[in-house]
């Protein structure tokens, strides 16, 4: 049977090529992603180790206990401790550091590479040779005065800086301007992975990131013969136990590698989604291919059974074929995955992400994944056809035509399909009253969608007859070739349904995601603009950074501005949870926020008096005049606030409104402002006015100046990942769908050789044969597209109930352009997939075809 399986694979290698290609795509995505992940992780570790080379131990301050002065921890890291550590046995050198974060503007004034945790700043601390080995100079000199600055080469290139330029930057507040005097290099993976580095002189860095005369860390090198762990124990013995701690350099490097790996881990997810999609859709192509092989080789299998082959041997023979196909596909996918892993860093770098360079790492998990995924999916998909092959009786060898499925089997299929359809649809419809995007409801929705798609696949052979007869009215307009194409598609509904399965799945996935993405995007657009009466919003990029109150006055005095109202955001701790409260000026907030009060008025705000949103009022059962116990911001005292009004939910106003002075006094950044809402004269918006507003807030790179359109675009940008996945799934479904249709038509042409020869003999020309095959392919593609479209739209409508619960502005909206594109692309796939089979059919010679046995 092993020789038989090998012979069959070699005899049908052209037909198996489509299966190999489908599995190869999935394996390539899996292996390529794993290669990329392993290589990037290794490069991160190598770069971090190189960055901490020579550092045996790092001393850092412990977090101060609650209620202690902020500088209690950092205050211990001073020159006195540095000298004390230098006297510890086994210490060869001591290098203090002062590090923090700084965000810069590029030379054109736009913020440069703003990324949380990746905009680093440090002190240049020269050793005895006058240089800091962490930051080798590539150009210019090191900063030595408070008005001087150095940056790394990557930042200089991205910001288009040159020696002598004035660089605008901010650490945690107002902007500062310094002259660029040097360009350095660094191996810090946080910087090489797309961040920035600003280097100050020691005194300036101490003032910005610690306190004058103090440091944020002290690096120690070990003398020969002293291990880092041993040195760490000695250093710990001389440190104040409650104020500082010692960590080995290896541990610091490992932490940094983990941090950067976390920042870049998201790039692994998208290729894995494509891999799962490719394998899932491709499994239907595998099932269809082996099912057709079983049908075509019925007499051959029957003869094997007649000469003594057992059912188990026949089944094993087909599984061995699948194993061989899977091995070939895995090997091809493994090689293609190497190419994907090689190209992926360049693709990501083109998108603005810089990854550390390193050799390609081929780990054992990649090899196991290639074999496990490729062979496993292929063998599993071939299991059902192998069972069907084992059921072929020896008497089948005497029959000249394939027997239609029994009436009992058809009834079982209908009953099973209807049962799954009722279960899936019922589960999805039951979610309409949930309006809660909880994990339990999401799992229920996914299960309902899976049951619905499975029901469509089971019922597809039954639905093929009425649907194809309906669509056949269009193909019948092409005359006899159109009618023959329709009849050929109806000849074996099971085969037609199996062929259309790949397009059904991909169309359902893409159309469902398209509707959800489009509906959610519109909801985010409405939410971004809802409740906003201002024409511009000035906000901070970081939750730990506030806006200088003086900037509010400058914005209000800007030409073209009618009203500039400051908003201070803080936290309101209630008995039922944590809420957001916005501190506003009652006199100007009406001009910049669209507040719809159900009761009360914003004019009544004052000390001890707040207004609440409708949802908060319903939850706590309060109305205007009621009292609400809560604690505001960093205040430790619980207070009874008087509710002076209830307004319709407003994303700009948040959960509650208070008077600005009281909220600012109790916020976690006292005296600061988080947002400035700007109303212009006549609603005018222009680049010149935006530039004047940027100037008014000091061109601070930590601040954003956005008009209403920019806010909407930013909100819609959150759907970029979903749209990218949708396009990827569409492309994968298109490729595998085309392979499936081409494979089926090629086998169909081989089976109908005598029939096509007879048509040619009675007068059908080659163009007519080609047209017939293309119309048959188009009919199958249309059938799969219609079923997939119906399933995808229904699933999106049902899942939309959960989105409505998480996003009140959500409403079901159809992206007509995208759906039309999906339909046209699916139909185009049908036409393109028929090209080779149609040409092969037309090339048959009538007499030879009729004479073929």
């Amino acid at each position: 049977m092993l020789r038989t399986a090998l012979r069959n694979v070699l005899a049908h290698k052209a037909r198996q090529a489509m299966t190999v290609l489908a599995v190869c795509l999935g394996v390539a995505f899996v292996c390529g992603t794993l290669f990329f992940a392993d290589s990037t992780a290794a490069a991160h570790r190598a770069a971090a180790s190189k960055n901490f080379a020579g550092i045996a131990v790092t001393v850092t301050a412990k977090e101060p206990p609650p209620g202690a002065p902020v500088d209690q921890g950092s205050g211990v890291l001073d020159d006195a401790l540095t000298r004390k550590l230098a006297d510890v046995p086994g210490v060869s050198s001591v290098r203090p550091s002062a590090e923090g974060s700084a965000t810069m503007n590029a030379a054109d004034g736009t913020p440069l590479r703003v990324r949380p945790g990746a905009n680093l700043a440090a002190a240049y601390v020269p050793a005895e040779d006058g240089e800091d080995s962490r930051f080798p100079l590539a150009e210019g000199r090191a900063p030595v005065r408070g008005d001087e600055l150095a940056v790394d080469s990557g930042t200089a290139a991205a910001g288009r800086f040159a020696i002598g330029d004035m660089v605008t930057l901010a650490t945690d507040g107002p902007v500062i301007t310094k002259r660029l005097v040097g360009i350095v290099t660094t191996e810090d993976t946080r910087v090489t992975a797309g961040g920035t580095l600003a280097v100050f002189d020691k005194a300036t860095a101490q003032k910005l990131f610690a306190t004058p005369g103090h440091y944020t860390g002290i690096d120690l090198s070990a003398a020969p013969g002293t291990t880092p762990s041993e040195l760490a124990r000695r250093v710990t013995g001389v440190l104040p136990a409650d104020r500082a701690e010692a960590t080995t350099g290896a541990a610091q490097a490992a932490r940094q590698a983990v941090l950067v790996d976390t920042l870049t881990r998201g790039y692994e997810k998208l290729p894995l989604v494509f891999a799962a999609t490719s394998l899932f859709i491709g499994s239907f192509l595998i099932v269809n291919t082996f099912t057709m092989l079983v049908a075509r080789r019925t007499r051959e299998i029957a003869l094997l059974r007649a000469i003594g082959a057992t059912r188990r041997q026949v089944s094993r023979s087909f599984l061995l074929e699948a194993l061989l196909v899977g091995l070939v596909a895995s090997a091809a996918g493994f090689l293609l995955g190497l190419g994907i892993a090689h190209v992926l860093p360049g693709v990501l770098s083109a998108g603005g992400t810089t990854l550390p360079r390193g050799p390609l790492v081929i780990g054992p998990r990649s090899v196991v994944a290639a074999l496990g995924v490729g062979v496993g999916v292929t063998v599993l998909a071939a299991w059902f056809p192998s069972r069907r092959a084992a059921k072929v009786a020896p008497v089948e060898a005497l029959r000249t035509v394939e027997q239609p499925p029994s009436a009992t089997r058809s009834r079982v299929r209908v009953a099973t399909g209807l049962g799954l359809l009722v279960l899936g649809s019922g589960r999805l419809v039951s979610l309409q009253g949930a309006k809660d995007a909880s994990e339990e409801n999401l799992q229920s929705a996914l299960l309902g969608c899976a049951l619905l798609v499975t029901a469509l696949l089971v019922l597809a052979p039954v639905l093929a007859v009425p649907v194809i007869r309906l669509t056949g009215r269009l193909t019948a307009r092409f005359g006899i070739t159109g009618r023959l194409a329709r009849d050929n598609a109806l000849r074996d509904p099971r085969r037609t349904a199996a062929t259309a399965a790949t397009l059904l799945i991909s169309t359902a996935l893409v159309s469902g995601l398209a509707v959800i993405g489009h509906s959610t995007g519109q909801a985010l657009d409405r939410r971004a603009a809802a409740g906003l009466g201002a024409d511009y919003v000035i906000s901070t990029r970081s939750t730990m950074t506030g806006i200088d109150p003086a900037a509010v006055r400058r914005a209000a005095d800007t030409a073209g501005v009618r009203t500039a109202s400051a908003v201070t955001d803080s936290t309101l701790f209630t008995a039922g949870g944590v809420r957001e409260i916005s501190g506003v000026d009652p006199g100007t907030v009406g001009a910049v926020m669209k507040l719809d009060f159900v009761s009360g008025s914003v004019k009544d705000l004052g000390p001890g008096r707040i207004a609440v949103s409708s949802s908060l009022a319903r939850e706590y059962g309060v109305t205007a005049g009621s009292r609400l116990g809560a604690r505001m911001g960093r205040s430790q005292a619980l207070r009874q606030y008087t509710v002076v009004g209830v307004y319709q939910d407003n994303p700009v106003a948040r959960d509650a409104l208070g008077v600005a002075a009281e909220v600012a006094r109790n916020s976690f950044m006292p005296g600061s402002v988080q947002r400035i809402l700007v109303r212009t004269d006549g609603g005018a918006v222009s680049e010149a006015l935006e530039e004047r507003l940027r100037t008014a807030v000091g061109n601070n790179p930590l601040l954003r100046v956005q008009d209403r359109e920019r806010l909407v675009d930013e909100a819609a940008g959150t759907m970029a990942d979903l749209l990218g996945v949708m396009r990827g799934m569409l492309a994968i479904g298109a490729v595998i769908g085309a392979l499936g249709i081409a494979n089926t038509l090629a086998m169909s042409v081989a089976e109908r050789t005598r029939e096509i020869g007879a048509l040619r003999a009675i007068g059908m020309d080659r163009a007519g044969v080609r047209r017939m095959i293309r119309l048959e392919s188009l009919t199958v593609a249309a059938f799969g597209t219609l079923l997939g479209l119906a399933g995808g739209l229904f699933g999106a409508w049902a899942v939309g109930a959960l989105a409505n619960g998480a996003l009140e502005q959500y409403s079901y909206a159809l992206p007509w352009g995208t759906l039309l594109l999906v339909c046209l692309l699916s139909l185009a796939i049908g036409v393109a997939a028929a090209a080779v089979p149609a040409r092969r059919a037309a090339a048959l010679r009538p007499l030879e075809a009729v004479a073929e046995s």
Side-chain angles (χ1 to χ4, degrees):
M1 298 306 293
L2 176 61
R3 290 195 298 271
T4 301
L6 182 60
R7 180 186 61 80
N8 285 328
V9 169
L10 295 176
H12 304 97
K13 53 182 178 294
R15 297 167 188 171
Q16 299 284 15
M18 304 295 183
T19 301
V20 170
L21 185 55
V23 177
C24 174
L25 290 175
V27 173
F29 279 120
V30 172
C31 291
T33 303
L34 295 179
F35 292 150
F36 167 72
D38 292 342
S39 302
T40 303
H44 286 158
R45 289 192 295 269
S49 298
K50 187 175 181 181
N51 190 44
F52 284 90
I55 299 177
V57 175
T58 297
V59 176
T60 56
K62 287 186 176 181
E63 289 291 332
V70 176
D71 63 345
Q72 177 174 322
S74 61
V76 72
L77 305 182
D78 55 11
D79 290 324
L81 180 61
T82 302
R83 291 190 294 271
K84 186 177 181 180
L85 292 174
D87 295 333
V88 174
V91 174
S92 65
S93 64
V94 179
R95 184 177 62 195
S97 62
E99 299 181 349
S101 63
T103 307
M104 289 175 274
N105 278 337
D108 61 0
T110 59
L112 178 64
R113 288 181 176 177
V114 181
R115 295 184 62 196
N119 301 119
L120 307 183
Y124 192 90
V125 183
E128 294 180 359
D129 59 359
E131 296 183 357
D132 190 334
S133 59
R134 298 171 302 168
F135 311 120
L137 283 166
E139 187 177 350
R141 60 177 177 83
V144 295
R145 301 189 311 181
D147 61 345
E148 296 178 343
L149 174 75
V151 300
D152 69 287
S153 55
T155 301
R160 301 182 182 275
F161 296 137
I163 298 295
D165 287 351
M166 299 303 295
V167 179
T168 301
L169 68 153
T171 54
D172 61 355
V175 296
I176 52 179
T177 303
K178 297 186 180 297
R179 184 177 299 280
L180 184 65
V181 297
I183 297 176
V184 302
T185 59
T186 180
E187 296 293 334
D188 195 314
T189 52
R190 292 169 294 179
V191 179
T192 58
T196 61
L197 173 66
V199 181
F200 304 92
D201 66 286
K202 185 174 71 172
T204 301
Q206 288 177 324
K207 185 185 302 182
L208 290 173
F209 310 122
T211 54
H214 296 84
Y215 306 99
T216 60
I218 303 175
D219 298 329
L220 309 176
S221 297
T226 304
T227 64
S229 57
E230 181 182 357
L231 184 60
R233 288 194 298 270
R234 295 176 184 175
V235 169
T236 301
V238 302
L239 294 176
D242 60 335
R243 302 180 66 185
E245 60 183 348
T247 308
T248 62
Q252 290 283 86
R255 290 178 186 175
Q256 183 169 314
V258 170
L259 172 63
V260 178
D261 186 55
T262 301
L263 293 175
T264 57
R265 188 174 298 167
Y267 300 118
E268 303 173 18
K269 296 179 180 179
L270 197 59
L272 286 178
V273 170
F274 292 160
T277 304
S278 177
L279 292 169
F280 178 66
I281 300 176
S283 63
F284 291 93
L285 173 57
I286 299 171
V287 172
N288 190 28
T289 300
F290 278 94
T291 300
M292 293 182 66
L293 287 174
V294 170
R296 181 165 175 77
R297 288 156 50 187
T298 298
R299 298 183 67 185
E300 174 189 330
I301 297 169
L303 285 173
L304 289 174
R305 294 278 286 115
I307 63 176
T310 65
R311 289 187 175 185
R312 182 172 296 180
Q313 286 178 316
V314 172
S315 178
R316 286 178 179 176
S317 175
F318 271 87
L319 291 179
L320 282 173
E321 288 186 43
L323 177 63
L324 294 173
V325 170
L327 287 173
V328 173
S330 298
F334 187 86
L335 296 176
L336 184 58
L338 293 175
I340 292 177
H342 180 73
V343 171
L344 197 55
V347 174
L348 296 176
S349 298
T353 300
T354 304
L355 298 173
R357 296 181 179 180
L360 186 64
V361 176
I362 302 177
R365 68 168 183 166
S366 303
V367 179
V368 173
L371 293 174
V373 170
V375 175
V377 169
T378 308
V379 172
L380 184 62
W383 184 72
F384 287 104
S386 71
R387 285 176 57 85
R388 182 181 177 187
K391 294 179 181 179
V392 175
V395 72
E396 297 290 337
L398 303 177
R399 294 173 178 169
T400 58
V401 295
E402 183 182 357
Q403 296 299 308
S406 65
T408 301
R409 182 180 297 178
S410 298
R411 286 193 293 269
V412 171
R413 175 184 290 275
V414 172
T416 303
L418 289 177
L420 292 172
L421 184 63
V422 170
L423 287 176
S425 301
R427 182 173 287 271
L428 291 175
V429 171
S430 67
L431 296 174
Q432 296 308 299
K435 293 188 179 298
D436 177 17
S438 64
E439 182 177 354
E440 181 180 356
N441 285 335
L442 287 174
Q443 292 177 351
S444 181
L446 291 176
L447 178 58
C449 289
L451 290 173
L452 177 64
V453 172
T454 305
L456 290 177
L457 291 173
V458 173
L459 291 173
V462 180
L463 297 173
V465 176
V467 173
I468 291 178
R469 282 178 178 170
L470 178 63
T471 58
R473 295 180 180 179
L474 297 177
T475 57
R477 295 180 179 273
F478 290 89
I480 187 63
T481 55
R483 291 192 291 273
L484 287 173
R486 179 196 59 194
D487 294 341
N488 288 334
L490 289 172
R491 177 180 300 180
D492 190 345
R494 291 178 301 168
R495 176 180 297 181
T496 298
T499 305
T502 53
L503 282 181
L504 189 157
I505 298 295
S506 60
T507 303
L509 286 172
V510 172
S511 59
L513 285 175
V515 172
I516 294 174
H518 181 70
S519 302
T520 305
Q522 287 193 345
L524 291 173
D525 291 351
R526 291 190 290 270
R527 181 175 181 177
L532 182 64
D535 300 301
Y536 283 98
V537 176
I538 304 174
S539 59
T540 63
R541 297 180 185 273
S542 171
T543 57
M544 301 303 296
T545 304
I547 304 175
D548 184 2
V552 182
R553 295 189 294 271
R554 294 195 297 269
D557 294 336
T558 301
V561 173
R562 177 186 299 177
T563 305
S565 183
V567 180
T568 299
D569 295 322
S570 188
T571 306
L572 194 68
F573 298 92
T574 61
V578 181
R579 301 287 182 170
E580 293 178 296
I581 185 169
S582 300
V584 298
D585 179 2
T588 60
V589 68
V592 293
M593 286 188 190
K594 297 177 181 178
L595 295 172
D596 184 9
F597 271 81
V598 177
S599 60
S601 170
V602 71
K603 301 294 184 182
D604 297 327
L605 289 176
R609 292 180 291 177
I610 63 174
V612 298
S613 64
S614 296
S615 59
L616 185 61
R618 284 193 302 270
E619 181 176 348
Y620 289 94
V622 297
T623 59
S626 301
R627 306 276 287 180
L628 178 65
R631 179 170 60 85
M632 187 182 298
R634 63 190 182 95
S635 173
Q636 299 298 316
L638 182 67
R639 181 174 181 179
Q640 293 293 323
Y641 289 93
T642 301
V643 177
V644 299
V646 178
Y647 56 89
Q648 295 287 351
D649 289 356
N650 188 314
V652 180
R654 312 285 171 85
D655 299 310
L657 290 174
V659 69
E662 183 177 23
V663 176
R665 186 170 58 252
N666 292 296
S667 71
F668 292 99
M669 290 180 288
S672 65
V673 172
Q674 277 66 55
R675 291 177 288 162
I676 305 176
L677 307 183
V678 178
R679 184 74 176 270
T680 63
D681 292 331
V685 175
S686 65
E687 292 184 5
L689 180 54
E690 182 176 333
E691 186 63 30
R692 290 198 296 270
L693 288 172
R694 292 186 184 278
T695 303
V697 296
N699 285 320
N700 194 326
L702 294 177
L703 303 183
R704 295 176 296 186
V705 180
Q706 299 171 292
D707 57 21
R708 294 170 63 89
E709 182 178 355
R710 194 80 56 83
L711 286 170
V712 170
D713 291 342
E714 181 180 327
T718 59
M719 300 306 298
D721 289 343
L722 179 60
L723 294 176
V725 171
M726 182 191 73
R727 296 188 186 99
M729 287 182 176
L730 179 60
I732 292 172
V735 172
I736 298 179
L739 293 177
I741 295 176
N743 201 22
T744 301
L745 288 176
M747 292 187 179
S748 179
V749 168
E751 291 176 355
R752 288 150 46 193
T753 299
R754 296 184 67 185
E755 175 187 322
I756 295 172
L759 291 174
R760 293 278 286 117
I762 63 176
M764 181 178 285
D765 58 9
R766 292 184 175 182
V769 173
R770 286 194 296 267
R771 188 182 307 114
M772 179 183 67
I773 300 297
R774 288 176 184 146
L775 289 176
E776 181 181 349
S777 176
L778 186 64
T779 300
V780 174
F783 171 65
T785 301
L786 288 176
L787 279 191
L789 201 61
L793 295 183
F794 179 76
W797 169 78
V799 175
L802 303 184
N804 198 339
L807 192 62
E808 293 185 0
Q809 291 82 2
Y810 183 92
S811 62
Y812 188 75
L814 297 179
W816 294 106
T818 302
L819 296 178
L820 179 61
L821 177 63
V822 170
C823 293
L824 292 178
L825 181 59
S826 297
L827 296 178
I829 290 171
V831 176
V836 174
R839 187 166 59 249
R840 180 183 174 186
L844 292 175
R845 296 181 179 180
L847 294 180
E848 293 179 359
V850 172
E852 184 176 293
S853 58

